[in-house]
Amino acid sequence: MAVVDATRTVAASHLVMTPFSTSWASVSPHTLERFEQFIQTKASPMVWDPVVVTILNQPGFAVFAVLAFLLYAIGHKPRSRSRRAIAGQ
């Protein structure tokens, strides 16, 4: 998504950032509709409008960058104290 936005920015000679919802709708509009229905029925319509719509309106590359960081943080194993002590010597 970042490459597409960078290419469009160069072509248009001004900053272009495509919202995540636009990218998703262009690739698979049916899954976006099903996702909306799922959130509104399983969670609440109140969750859809302020929370999910805000996320969908962010640039796609930013959404995936945050998601990648969160998944990295969840899966990262901190080094043990003994390894840090050895690495510091």
Side-chain angles (χ1 to χ4, degrees):
M1 292 184 166
V3 172
V4 170
D5 284 350
T7 304
R8 289 180 181 164
T9 296
V10 170
S13 297
H14 67 276
L15 184 61
V16 176
M17 291 190 289
T18 308
F20 181 56
S21 61
T22 303
S23 298
W24 190 350
S26 68
V27 173
S28 182
H30 301 295
T31 58
L32 180 57
E33 293 170 9
R34 285 190 297 200
F35 178 67
E36 179 179 358
Q37 292 171 356
F38 175 78
I39 294 296
Q40 289 184 348
T41 57
K42 297 295 182 183
S44 168
M46 299 296 289
V47 172
W48 175 257
D49 193 12
V51 178
V52 178
V53 170
T54 301
I55 294 169
L56 290 173
N57 287 331
Q58 300 306 311
F61 71 88
V63 172
F64 281 111
V66 170
L67 181 62
F69 175 75
L70 290 174
L71 291 175
Y72 171 77
I74 291 169
H76 179 69
K77 286 172 75 174
R79 293 179 13 183
S80 67
R81 287 187 170 259
S82 61
R83 283 189 175 179
R84 276 188 256 153
I86 293 170
Q89 292 179 359

